[in-house]
Amino acid sequence: MSVLSIRDLHAKAGDTQILNGINLTVRSGEVHAVMGPNGAGKSTLSAAIMGKPGYTITQGSVTLDDVDMVSLPTWKRALAGLHLVMQYPTEIPGVGIDELLNEALAERGSNQAQLAERIGAEAARIGLDEALIHRAVNVDFSGGEKKRNETLQLAMLDPRIVVLDELDSGLDIDALRDCARRVEDLTNERKLGVLVITHYSRIFADLKPNFVHILAKGRIVASGGPELADQLERDGYDAFTA
Ligand code: ADP
Ligand code: MG
């Protein structure tokens, strides 16, 4: 059982104060959705959790199983069990998906046995063409291939808690369904804890949130169950931000 605990988080993007006191607790096996309009600070929240350069935590804490994350560099947060699927996946020229996973799993001291077979099995499961496994990460991939690749990496690296920043942006309905279902399966099979950041409730058809939070102007302005997403769909963000 793991717990990501975010307390009174204030953060800047560049020189601008964006997050103004976020509280969230994500436990193993739970799916928490954070919904908010453009510019609300959703990507800033994911960047602050993961320690992305250019974002500064000015107050509050982020801990994973009572271990402070804020003082750790991004790679140590990853080794501790945090993983971020970015809204715009990074292209890594010259490094194949298989090479990347090989290195990342070696660094984690993971069992490397039958690695190629395991990657192949995950690729088949997520619907990623196996030929892409030997190509440079995300370079000249379609939107759907990028997010399938990111989901494959998530399944292979097996973190305790994942932050999905708009997994649903830049890919078609079929790819979204496959990726969302794979994450949902991970919550059941391996008790992955999920913070899923999104504008739209469409992804919830396959990745079922236990809790929904609405982020506006750098604060959580409402929290509830899945019914909150239905209310949002009906009334729009204005009902929560007025
Ligand atoms: P969301 O993901 O909810 O659309 P973001 O967290 O990306 O919102 O952005 C929140 C605000 O912070 C926006 O006004 C954006 O322009 C600003 N912002 C984001 N990143 C930076 C940065 N690196 N430097 C300055 N401002 C930034
Ligand atoms: Mg964003």
Side-chain angles (χ1 to χ4, degrees):
M1 174 73 168
S2 284
V3 184
L4 174 68
S5 178
I6 298 167
R7 288 286 159 270
D8 193 33
L9 186 68
H10 292 64
K12 284 181 177 178
D15 295 326
T16 314
Q17 191 72 39
I18 303 294
L19 300 182
N20 301 304
I22 304 285
N23 293 289
L24 282 170
T25 305
V26 182
R27 296 183 174 81
S28 293
E30 291 179 350
V31 178
H32 289 252
V34 171
M35 305 186 73
N38 276 321
K42 301 184 301 299
S43 291
T44 301
L45 175 61
S46 69
I49 293 170
M50 212 58 207
K52 194 172 175 195
Y55 297 82
T56 318
I57 293 176
T58 53
Q59 193 178 316
S61 66
V62 179
T63 62
L64 179 64
D65 298 333
D66 296 325
V67 177
D68 173 41
M69 292 290 113
V70 178
S71 61
L72 298 181
T74 298
W75 67 274
K76 283 196 178 169
R77 298 186 200 197
L79 287 186
L82 282 183
H83 186 87
L84 170 64
V85 173
M86 287 187 285
Q87 183 171 0
Y88 305 107
T90 311
E91 298 183 2
I92 315 179
V95 180
I97 295 175
D98 48 358
E99 293 170 293
L100 179 74
L101 284 171
N102 209 327
E103 289 292 321
L105 289 167
E107 193 170 34
R108 285 163 170 75
S110 300
N111 180 7
Q112 301 285 84
Q114 272 119 29
L115 187 58
E117 289 81 356
R118 280 157 51 211
I119 296 173
E122 272 300 339
R125 188 163 175 183
I126 194 66
L128 185 72
D129 181 351
E130 261 205 78
L132 268 63
I133 287 167
H134 311 293
R135 276 193 17 210
V137 178
N138 292 325
V139 176
D140 296 327
F141 284 19
S142 72
E145 286 167 347
K146 283 183 181 174
K147 298 277 169 129
R148 287 183 203 270
N149 165 40
E150 295 293 323
T151 306
L152 177 149
Q153 288 181 46
L154 167 65
M156 289 298 300
L157 295 175
D158 198 22
R160 306 305 306 150
I161 305 282
V162 67
V163 180
L164 304 169
D165 189 4
E166 298 202 26
L167 183 67
D168 45 3
S169 84
L171 76 181
D172 62 35
I173 296 275
D174 291 345
L176 173 58
R177 187 196 54 229
D178 291 348
C179 292
R181 279 192 188 160
R182 185 69 191 97
V183 178
E184 172 73 22
D185 287 348
L186 290 170
T187 68
N188 296 317
E189 293 167 9
R190 301 193 215 153
K191 298 289 167 244
L192 176 67
V194 179
L195 189 61
V196 52
I197 293 173
T198 184
H199 285 294
Y200 301 112
S201 50
R202 197 180 56 189
I203 190 173
F204 303 155
D206 295 291
L207 178 59
K208 309 277 185 207
N210 305 104
F211 305 93
V212 174
H213 312 275
I214 296 176
L215 177 68
K217 297 179 184 152
R219 288 179 206 278
I220 304 282
V221 293
S223 289
E227 75 287 346
L228 198 54
D230 301 333
Q231 190 188 339
L232 186 64
E233 198 85 345
R234 207 173 51 235
D235 302 341
Y237 286 113
D238 287 350
F240 295 93
T241 53

